[in-house]
Amino acid sequence: MEESWKEAIKKVLSESGEPLHYADISAQILSLGYYKTDGATPSATVSAQITSSIKRDGDKSPFVRVGKGIYTLKDSLDSHIKKSSNPRSDEEESNSIIRCFGMYWQRDLVVWRNDPKIFGSQPAASKHVDFGKQKGIYILYDHHTVLYVGRSVDRSLGKRLHEHTHDRLNSRWNRFSWFGLLGVTDEGDLLETNPDTSLANLIATFEAVLIEAIEPPQNRKRGDGMSAIGEYIQSIDPELKRVETQNILRDIAQRL
């Protein structure tokens, strides 16, 4: 498996001809079919493959780090960049309290019940994860206008959002973002982590969440450190897919 991942990473970087973030590398690997996986964290796997190669193989590694989470093939760099690059691993930098997040997810792609399932994945080809029991911070939007900011601690993210489908905010929001404290295993389970809670890291995390959520025009890049965290794209609830398919089949039958 390791060699297959490694060869797929090399192929993507070779075809790109420029440095890529490990999340973009994993997305291209899966979309182009260079490697297939049932894992829920392909981006983390790609990052681990590259950083372990750099640590283990040293100068013999085909990869080189040129920025935070950004890598290229060593052969594509000139000698000056080779000497100035710093091969620190992203594992050393990814100490944010926030372990994963999702931006501008749609309310109508979730089946709302008391304990709903809220599905997401990294590249679409990877395993779906249920974030209904996630803990952390969430934002409700009316389209892209921030309407409400809340937290899920004693009650999970799914339960808190479900409450907002029948309280005073019910008719006012149609999208939500979330920033989770629970990490994701490669099997797609949520788990407690032990983040770095130093003052510097707390401040960096607050700044990153604010920049990511508000998107201020004068900030030219996303929140510092968020690129090293797993961003997940929303997946439609399979129950809604089944209903949609049944409706399509019923319409076809009625026209025959």
Side-chain angles (χ1 to χ4, degrees), residues 8-229:
I9 295 167
K10 288 168 62 178
K11 191 170 184 179
V12 166
L13 288 175
S14 177
E15 292 175 352
S16 170
E18 61 182 10
L20 293 173
H21 190 275
Y22 63 79
D24 296 323
I25 297 173
S26 68
Q28 290 192 35
I29 287 173
L30 295 182
S31 65
L32 295 172
Y34 292 161
Y35 188 80
K36 297 186 183 300
T37 177
D38 293 328
T41 57
S43 294
T45 300
V46 168
S47 174
Q49 288 286 324
I50 297 174
T51 55
S52 64
S53 172
I54 292 173
K55 282 182 175 180
R56 182 182 63 247
D57 302 329
D59 291 338
K60 294 182 179 179
S61 172
F63 311 115
V64 62
R65 177 185 182 276
V66 297
K68 194 170 186 178
I70 301 174
Y71 302 92
T72 190
L73 293 176
K74 190 172 294 185
D75 292 343
S76 67
L77 293 176
D78 60 33
S79 59
H80 173 72
I81 298 179
K82 284 184 181 179
K83 292 177 181 178
S84 62
S85 62
N86 183 355
R88 291 178 298 171
S89 77
D90 286 298
E91 294 170 341
E92 296 170 335
E93 298 176 282
S94 181
N95 291 320
S96 174
I97 297 170
I98 303 301
R99 306 309 300 168
C100 50
F101 67 103
M103 297 298 299
Y104 299 112
W105 286 20
Q106 297 180 55
R107 171 176 170 171
D108 59 7
L109 296 185
V110 178
V111 176
W112 294 105
R113 47 175 63 96
N114 184 49
D115 193 15
K117 296 180 182 296
I118 303 176
F119 293 104
S121 64
Q122 289 190 328
S126 63
K127 184 174 183 178
H128 291 189
V129 179
D130 175 14
F131 291 101
K133 298 189 183 302
Q134 182 62 269
K135 303 292 181 71
I137 302 167
Y138 63 90
I139 304 171
L140 303 183
Y141 304 89
D142 176 9
H143 297 286
H144 279 73
T145 301
V146 175
L147 182 68
Y148 180 87
V149 177
R151 57 186 174 182
S152 58
V153 182
D154 297 329
R155 300 190 301 286
S156 66
L157 174 67
K159 287 181 178 295
R160 291 290 287 128
L161 291 176
H162 176 256
E163 291 169 3
H164 294 307
T165 64
H166 55 78
D167 64 8
R168 63 183 178 83
L169 300 175
N170 174 36
S171 62
R172 301 179 61 188
W173 65 282
N174 56 14
R175 289 182 177 269
F176 63 96
S177 295
W178 57 271
F179 302 87
L181 304 179
L182 305 182
V184 181
T185 68
D186 197 47
E187 291 73 34
D189 301 318
L190 301 182
L191 79 164
E192 298 278 353
T193 58
N194 295 308
D196 174 9
T197 55
S198 65
L199 180 59
N201 189 52
L202 287 171
I203 293 172
T205 299
F206 291 152
E207 178 196 43
V209 170
L210 287 171
I211 291 174
E212 197 74 27
I214 301 173
E215 298 181 334
Q218 295 303 311
N219 285 87
R220 297 183 180 179
K221 61 178 182 176
R222 71 191 311 177
D224 225 7
M226 294 302 278
S227 60
I229 302 170

